[in-house]
Amino acid sequence: SAAMRARVALFPDVAPNLERLARDYPLVALTNGNASLERIGIRHHFHDVVTAVEAGAAKPDARIFDAACERAGVRPIEALHVGDHPHYDIAGARAAGMRTAWVNRSGDPWPGELEPPDATVSSIAELAERLTPATRRELPG
């Protein structure tokens, strides 16, 4: 049911750091599923949301990443895709021409058959810290 799909427990760092990132960047959510960001309570942090149904393709297909860039008004090379799945998120976004940040909360090893992400972070808080304009360190790192 929709209520079950919306039962998402956010890590505590997510909402405050999405708010922080949204002040400086147009955030676009990409989803292969249909979890409701409104029900989860974070939709207001995003400039837009692109679903696989709307894009006519699911991650890792380039079309969903292209649709996100179009909605954000940027070229793929100007975008950073942040995700937790090595194949769907990181390899897919890279193939679409985007830079990538892998959120690896559990310290998993990177799959050796894939080209590594531009950056690896352990949390959205770490991502926000690294992308805050005043303290930005260049990705990768």
Side-chain angles (χ1 to χ4, degrees):
S1 76
M4 290 297 286
R5 283 192 300 272
R7 241 180 242 161
V8 174
L10 294 177
F11 287 96
D13 67 299
V14 173
N17 287 289
L18 281 177
E19 181 177 352
R20 183 175 170 188
L21 288 164
R23 287 195 293 261
D24 299 310
Y25 304 100
L27 304 182
V28 177
L30 280 76
T31 178
N32 282 354
N34 50 9
S36 168
L37 297 185
E38 286 89 354
R39 278 200 199 95
I40 297 167
I42 59 173
R43 171 63 180 91
H44 61 286
H45 297 305
F46 291 90
H47 172 75
D48 213 334
V49 178
V50 177
T51 67
V53 171
E54 292 169 336
K59 295 181 289 184
D61 190 292
R63 288 175 289 175
I64 193 167
F65 296 102
D66 291 342
C69 289
E70 192 174 302
R71 300 264 187 100
V74 299
R75 296 175 302 140
I77 194 63
E78 298 170 314
L80 174 69
H81 181 73
V82 178
D84 63 0
H85 196 284
H87 290 89
Y88 293 147
D89 287 309
I90 305 306
R94 167 164 297 173
M98 301 169 91
R99 294 201 308 165
T100 57
W102 182 37
V103 180
N104 180 11
R105 288 183 183 273
S106 52
D108 293 332
W110 180 256
E113 74 275 12
L114 295 178
E115 191 177 333
D118 293 301
T120 298
V121 295
S122 61
S123 66
I124 301 303
E126 182 183 347
L127 178 75
E129 187 59 36
R130 291 177 65 180
L131 293 178
T132 299
T135 61
R136 182 181 301 149
R137 291 185 293 157
E138 280 300 306
L139 294 175

